């Protein structure tokens, strides 16, 4: 209350400052930053600074402990206020001054923690005084928070003192954080109790579920163990239906309950263990193992039940099925035997022909195998009747009577069948003997007739043969045929003999056999007629074969004659071709030597022509004789002609090539050695001996002769330039001549233009021009006129009338400018 004393002077002041400094040191040690204040200001009573320092201390000790989310103390406190008042719509705490002016912020803080202390709903935003006072009074009375603030003062100030409000609010924070601890403790107790209640509920549920499940098992087992059979299919089917319902509808939920029970039991034990409670012991007889045992009993009882039901149903079903099967098989059999006895007693065989008898026998055989097949059914019918007796079928007596009747009738059918077969076979034997002879006649007459027709056809057959072997083959075959004629005549007489025997038998036994043979239409008369014809044809065939034989011999002579010549001419042409090729490749001696050599070849080839002409004559004869093949030679005329033409062309072309090389060499001043080197390179890269190089081969050849053609763009361009010179028509090949021309242009003396100029200069007596007279005096006439016609007038300073420019002319000669 009292004002600070006036500052005192003198010695006392030093002690005071010393005392205050001790306090300040302590405060500083606690981490309070003191800005622009020292002991002197306090001792001298600087009110403003002292209050500021006190606020800093309050801030450090009252508020600094509040650390919400590690923001600074002031921000922490503000954040705490915002969180606590968040649910209150009409409170919006943004700072520690005007946000608190209407008092609702203070009331909200109290109501949030102690709702019974304030009737918050009755407060109004436009009555700040009441709100502030309510809050201050309640805080003082119930929360032990002293009234630090004055309501009128807050309402009356435009912006209440921030530090004052902050200090006051921090009291609420400290008051309520205590309450928070108590609340936490209460929560913990509630939680523990809740766990216990939940566990007890789970135990109760387990006991209930276990009792229900055991009760259901106890009720179900006797039903499954009842195995008293019913007499009707329907009643048994109903039992099966009930069992299926049990498996499909009633049991699955119980399986789930049992599973759930075990899960619940395990869950409960885990929960107890986790919350340090003793394990759960179910009451007597309701352990999981008890339930598992009871369940095992249920499964055991269930095990045989469905099988028993199905077996019973199967037995009843089998009886019904067997009885039905018996009736069905008996009916089928009875309808089959109907009328069979009458059929077996017919006497239809007494008027039948042999073929009809045979048909009746076939039919009877078919019936017998049909009868045998029915044996099986009769046995099945008896077996079913037997089984029905054994299974105590209610209607057995009528089944047995019907079965007996079927068996008796079956034995009778067997006896009748036997009798009929014997009668049919007797009749067949009688007719068969006569038939046999007809058949034998037919069997032998047909092949003999065919043989005669074939022989007539063969004897008149035209033939085309190409070789002596073929005609000899035909002659041999004909001789073999002639050798078979005596045997054939014997066969003819035997066949006619059989026919005579038939006639005898028919007369002896007076059998009425329609008169003709049913197996053939060939009469003895026809056989004799054809035989006569065959005998006439034989000598004619002899004649034709002889003529052809002579013709083939002549053909063979022609073939041999042609072959002998062709086998000489063909290889001769081949050899000459190879020799010419070698001359142009091997280059022995000078080009002139080669030329002489080649001209000798040319002469020998021209002299060979008559041999070719002679061969052509022989060839024509062969063609006229229609001879198409010749095994004596592999050469055809066409081969030889083509070879001959190639040879003539090649020698001419090769001579021309050597002449051109001589021209080239002389014109360009290439030495024989260089020429040989070019030829050697060219031949080396002309791998297929075609006489030309492809672009890649040509490039390799150039490189071998020391041309530097790089693999870069520059090299490509250089090579393209060279190709345009050597292959101006873009054919993609380089001939030897083109290659020589190119090489000579590249290697000939490059100074020739200068040399010619120097020569003219001598003729001109060292002048830069030359006159017509000088040219005519120094050069042969035609060459002088050539120069005069082409030289341009000389225009230099030292020119005289009629002066000619020999320099530009010399340059032009070498293609370096236009003539």
């Amino acid at each position: 209350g009292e004002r600070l004393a006036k500052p005192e002077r003198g010695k006392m002041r030093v002690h005071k400052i010393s005392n205050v400094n001790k306090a300040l040191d302590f405060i500083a040690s606690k981490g309070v930053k003191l800005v622009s204040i020292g002991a002197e200001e306090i001792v001298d009573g600087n009110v403003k600074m002292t209050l500021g320092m006190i606020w800093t201390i309050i801030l450090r000790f009252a508020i600094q402990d509040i650390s919400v989310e590690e923001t600074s103390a002031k921000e922490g406190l503000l954040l705490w206020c915002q969180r606590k008042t968040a649910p209150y719509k009409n409170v919006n705490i943004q700072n520690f001054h005007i946000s608190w002016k209407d008092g609702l912020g203070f009331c909200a803080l109290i109501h949030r923690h102690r709702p019974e202390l304030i009737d918050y709903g009755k407060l109004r935003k436009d009555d700040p005084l009441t709100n502030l006072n309510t809050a201050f009074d309640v805080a003082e009375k119930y929360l032990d928070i002293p009234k630090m603030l004055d309501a009128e003062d807050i309402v009356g100030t435009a912006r209440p003192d921030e530090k004052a409000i902050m200090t006051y609010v921090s009291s609420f924070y400290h008051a309520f954080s205590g309450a928070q601890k108590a609340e936490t403790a209460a929560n913990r107790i509630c939680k523990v109790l809740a766990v216990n209640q939940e566990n007890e509920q789970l135990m109760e549920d387990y006991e209930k579920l276990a009792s229900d499940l055991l009760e259901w098992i106890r009720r179900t087992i006797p039903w499954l163990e009842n195995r008293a059979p019913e007499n009707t299919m329907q009643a048994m089917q109903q039992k099966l239906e009930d069992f299926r319902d049990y498996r499909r509808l009633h049991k699955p939920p119980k399986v789930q309950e049992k599973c759930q029970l075990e899960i619940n039991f395990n869950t409960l034990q885990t929960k107890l263990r986790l919350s340090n409670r003793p394990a759960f012991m179910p009451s007597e007889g309701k352990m999981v193992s008890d339930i598992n045992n009871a369940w095992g009993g249920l499964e055991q009882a269930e095990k045989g039940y469905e099988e028993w039901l199905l077996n019973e149903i199967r037995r009843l079903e089998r009886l019904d099925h067997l009885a039905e099967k018996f009736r069905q098989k008996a009916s089928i059999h009875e309808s089959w035997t109907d009328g069979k006895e009458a059929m077996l007693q017919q006497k239809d065989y007494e008027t039948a022909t042999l073929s009809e008898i045979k048909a009746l026998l076939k039919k009877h055989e078919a019936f017998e195998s049909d009868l045998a097949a029915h044996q099986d059914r009769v046995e099945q019918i008896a077996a079913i009747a037997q089984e029905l007796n054994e299974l105590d079928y209610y209607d057995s007596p009528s089944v047995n009577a019907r079965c007996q009747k079927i068996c008796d009738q079956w034995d009778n059918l067997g006896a009748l069948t036997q009798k009929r077969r014997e009668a049919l076979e007797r009749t067949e034997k009688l007719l068969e003997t006569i038939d046999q002879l007809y058949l034998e006649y037919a069997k032998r007459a047909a092949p003999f007739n065919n043989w005669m027709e074939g022989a007539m056809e063969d004897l008149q057959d035209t033939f085309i043969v190409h070789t002596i072997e073929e005609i000899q083959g035909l002659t041999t075959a004909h001789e073999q045929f002639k050798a078979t004629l005596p045997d054939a005549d014997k066969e003819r007489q035997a066949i006619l003999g059989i026919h005579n025997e038939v006639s005898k038998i028919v007369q002896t036994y007076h059998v009425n056999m329609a008169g003709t043979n049913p197996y053939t239409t060939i009469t003895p008369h026809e056989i004799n007629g054809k035989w006569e014809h065959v005998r006439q044809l034989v000598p004619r065939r002899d004649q034709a074969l002889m003529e052809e034989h002579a013709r083939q011999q002549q053909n063979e002579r022609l073939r041999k004659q042609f072959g002998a010549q062709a086998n000489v001419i063909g290889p001769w042409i081949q050899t000459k071709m190879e020799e010419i090729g070698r001359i142009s490749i091997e280059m022995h001696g000078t080009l002139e030597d080669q030329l002489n050599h080649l001209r000798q070849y040319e002469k020998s080839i021209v002299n060979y022509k008559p041999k070719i002409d002679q061969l052509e004559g022989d060839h024509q004869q062969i063609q006229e004789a229609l001879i198409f093949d010749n095994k004596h030679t592999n050469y055809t005329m066409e081969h030889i002609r083509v070879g001959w033409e190639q040879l003539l062309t090649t020698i001419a072309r090769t001579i021309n090539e050597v002449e051109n090389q001589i021209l080239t060499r002389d014109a360009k001043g290439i030495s024989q050695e260089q020429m040989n080197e070019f030829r050697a390179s060219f031949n080396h890269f002309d791998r297929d001996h075609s006489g030309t190089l492809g672009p890649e081969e040509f490039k390799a050849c150039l490189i071998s002769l020391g041309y530097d053609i790089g693999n870069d763009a520059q090299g490509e361009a250089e090579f393209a330039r060279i190709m345009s010179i050597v292959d101006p028509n873009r054919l993609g090949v380089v001939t030897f001549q083109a290659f020589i021309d190119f090489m000579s242009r590249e290697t000939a003396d490059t100074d020739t233009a200068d040399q010619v100029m120097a020569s003219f200069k001598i003729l001109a007596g060292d002048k830069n021009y030359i006159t017509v007279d000088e040219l005519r005096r120094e050069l042969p006439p035609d060459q002088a006129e050539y120069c005069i016609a082409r030289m341009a007038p000389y225009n230099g300073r030292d020119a005289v009338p009629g002066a000619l420019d020999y320099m530009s002319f010399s340059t032009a000669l070498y293609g370096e400018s236009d003539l």
Side-chain angles (χ1 to χ4, degrees), residues 503-656:
S503 308
K504 275 184 218 153
I505 292 171
V506 170
Q507 283 159 7
T508 310
Y509 292 99
H510 304 293
V511 185
N512 181 20
M513 294 285 288
T516 59
N517 187 331
Y519 298 113
T520 180
T521 56
I522 302 166
T523 65
H525 179 70
E526 274 182 66
I527 288 176
N528 286 332
K530 286 182 182 173
W531 176 251
E532 200 43 50
H533 192 194
V534 169
R535 285 179 49 197
Q536 291 162 5
L537 287 171
V538 171
R540 289 189 215 163
R541 181 72 166 182
D542 289 336
Q543 184 59 34
L545 288 169
M546 267 166 57
E547 289 166 6
E548 181 60 33
H549 193 265
R551 195 170 75 83
Q552 283 305 329
Q553 276 176 318
Q554 172 58 21
N555 283 357
E556 188 60 15
R557 272 196 301 280
L558 286 174
R559 280 199 191 92
K560 281 182 175 157
Q561 191 177 325
F562 178 87
Q565 293 185 74
N567 287 341
V568 172
I569 294 173
W572 185 86
I573 292 176
Q574 188 62 31
T575 310
K576 288 286 170 261
M577 282 293 275
E578 285 166 10
E579 288 172 351
I580 292 166
R582 265 206 300 284
I583 292 172
S584 63
I585 286 173
E586 288 172 1
M587 311 170 295
H588 288 308
T590 63
L591 291 174
E592 279 77 7
D593 295 343
Q594 288 177 39
L595 194 58
N596 290 337
H597 211 151
L598 287 167
R599 291 220 167 103
Q600 282 164 358
Y601 269 105
E602 191 174 29
K603 212 174 272 152
S604 74
I605 288 165
V606 172
N607 291 343
Y608 205 75
K609 177 81 162 71
K611 289 213 168 71
I612 305 285
D613 294 342
Q614 187 187 350
L615 194 67
E616 283 282 10
D618 290 349
H619 178 63
Q620 188 177 345
Q621 275 185 304
I622 281 181
Q623 282 183 322
E624 284 164 3
L626 297 180
I627 299 170
F628 299 113
D629 54 348
N630 192 344
K631 69 173 188 295
H632 302 295
T633 181
N634 289 330
Y635 293 99
T636 65
M637 193 65 222
E638 191 50 37
H639 265 129
I640 303 246
R641 285 176 190 146
V642 170
W644 176 252
E645 284 161 9
Q646 265 183 329
L647 183 59
L648 290 177
T649 319
T650 305
I651 188 72
R653 196 184 289 138
T654 309
I655 287 173
N656 177 250

Side-chain angles (χ1 to χ4, degrees), residues 710-718:
N711 251 345
D712 49 10
Q714 197 181 340
E716 289 298 322
E718 169 63 2

Side-chain angles (χ1 to χ4, degrees), residues 353-373:
T353 64
L354 179 58
S355 60
E356 286 167 341
I357 283 284
K358 287 210 182 292
L360 287 174
L361 263 165
K362 280 265 183 296
K363 196 170 168 192
H364 190 69
E365 266 174 39
F367 173 74
E368 281 178 326
S369 65
D370 198 4
L371 191 67

